[in-house]
Amino acid sequence: MPESTTKFPNVLEHNRAAWNRQAAQQCEWSRPVDPLVIADARKGDWRVHLTPCALPAGWLPDDVRGVRILCLASAGGQQAPVLSAAGAHVTVLDVSDEQLAQDDMVARRDGLTLTTVRGDMRDLSRFEDASFDVVFHPISNQYVPDIGPVWRECFRVLCAGGRLLSSFFNPVVFVADRNAQDLAQGILRPRFKVPYSDLRDLTPDELAAKQSSGDALIFGHSLTEQIGGQLDAGFVLKGFVEDEQPNPRFVIDRFLPTFVATYAVKP
């Protein structure tokens, strides 16, 4: 059946509220880095992550001083402050006020300069063409139903030779039913097709329960949308890695790397 616009008239606002709640609860992606991490970054000893493992060598310059970086849908007081402490000119765009507040807090605490902006990752119209040298976009585009605009806007705001560093889930993670009994028994029961959409694929009762609990709405994009979409936007793929979930949440995590990261360049 087609996706309904009446069940959730505003996905963006629903997911903004969901992430504001997660930030208030200090979820894994809402725990600001320690001042010692910032101190090390100021000395040139720094690292940021697209996936649980370290960023592959060469995906970012060793020296990012003066590099214009857009941390896209990447707030939470973790990546952006480290890059700022390392000398980059950092802007953070995120849908969640509370996630952005974590970056602002670290900036105040440690005397950093960075810019935080609330917005939709699909709409970067506030930024001029060729405004950035790097877009750093860790796992987050599963929170919007359409990612073509994300790639096109990234391409536009990057300068020639600019880098798009992105990560996302292997779409296989969206295929299985996640009922508690199957999870407890280690059963993989295929239920959904990719591309996946909470709005289209959940039953009305399941969707209502998700709305009631305040969980974020999820959209599982295909590799054609994820990687092909970058190529269609004009990017050239320079690097590709897979990574494993260190603390498996779902049965499929035990059998293959479920994180994917790409390094693409605007010619």
Side-chain angles (χ1 to χ4, degrees):
M1 65 179 174
E3 292 189 4
S4 169
T5 57
T6 58
K7 294 174 182 173
F8 283 92
N10 195 321
V11 171
L12 185 75
E13 291 304 320
H14 177 88
N15 283 353
R16 186 198 313 282
W19 269 100
N20 282 344
R21 278 189 290 273
Q22 290 199 53
Q25 294 165 2
Q26 292 278 294
C27 77
E28 181 180 0
W29 305 111
S30 304
R31 296 173 194 153
V33 293
D34 187 271
L36 292 177
V37 173
I38 298 301
D40 287 342
R42 283 191 161 114
K43 299 172 187 175
D45 179 12
W46 58 273
R47 58 198 57 81
V48 289
H49 296 267
L50 286 172
T51 67
C53 287
L55 195 69
W59 282 31
L60 275 176
D62 292 334
D63 185 353
V64 293
R65 286 177 294 181
V67 176
R68 301 169 299 168
I69 300 178
L70 173 62
C71 288
L72 183 60
S74 177
Q78 298 180 357
Q79 317 283 11
V82 170
L83 292 166
S84 175
H89 299 307
V90 181
T91 300
V92 192
L93 184 141
D94 199 279
V95 72
S96 167
D97 316 77
E98 297 301 324
Q99 284 285 90
L100 290 166
Q102 302 287 49
D103 291 289
D104 288 330
M105 183 277 290
V106 177
R108 290 191 304 271
R109 183 193 72 193
D110 297 324
L112 302 173
T113 300
L114 56 82
T115 301
T116 55
V117 181
R118 194 183 85 169
D120 184 341
M121 70 179 85
R122 298 165 295 179
D123 179 9
L124 306 182
S125 57
R126 69 191 70 215
F127 305 123
E128 296 182 359
D129 295 357
S131 296
F132 299 99
D133 305 301
V134 175
V135 174
F136 192 83
H137 180 48
I139 295 171
S140 56
N141 65 30
Q142 72 271 19
Y143 298 113
V144 294
D146 49 334
I147 57 173
V150 178
W151 305 136
R152 292 191 293 271
E153 281 289 83
C154 287
F155 190 87
R156 181 185 64 78
V157 302
L158 279 169
C159 64
R163 309 178 187 201
L164 168 63
L165 306 184
S166 182
S167 59
F168 41 88
F169 288 113
N170 184 319
V172 72
V173 304
F174 300 101
V175 169
D177 196 330
R178 293 180 179 175
N179 69 74
Q181 289 181 330
D182 284 355
L183 290 173
Q185 296 178 54
I187 293 173
L188 277 170
R189 193 185 307 275
R191 176 183 170 189
F192 305 112
K193 284 190 67 175
V194 173
Y196 168 82
S197 165
D198 275 351
L199 297 185
R200 182 188 63 236
D201 296 319
L202 295 180
T203 67
D205 286 346
E206 289 170 331
L207 192 56
K210 196 160 198 179
Q211 181 181 23
S212 177
S213 67
D215 290 342
L217 294 170
I218 298 295
F219 305 89
H221 305 292
S222 68
L223 291 178
T224 296
E225 294 170 305
Q226 296 282 16
I227 298 174
Q230 294 182 45
L231 301 178
D232 288 344
F235 286 104
V236 175
L237 197 64
K238 302 286 285 187
F240 176 97
V241 296
E242 295 176 291
D243 197 4
E244 295 189 356
Q245 170 62 259
N247 301 299
R249 296 179 302 159
F250 307 117
V251 178
I252 191 64
D253 291 327
R254 306 174 195 168
F255 295 98
L256 80 165
T258 48
F259 293 108
V260 175
T262 56
Y263 163 25
V265 174
K266 178 177 178 176

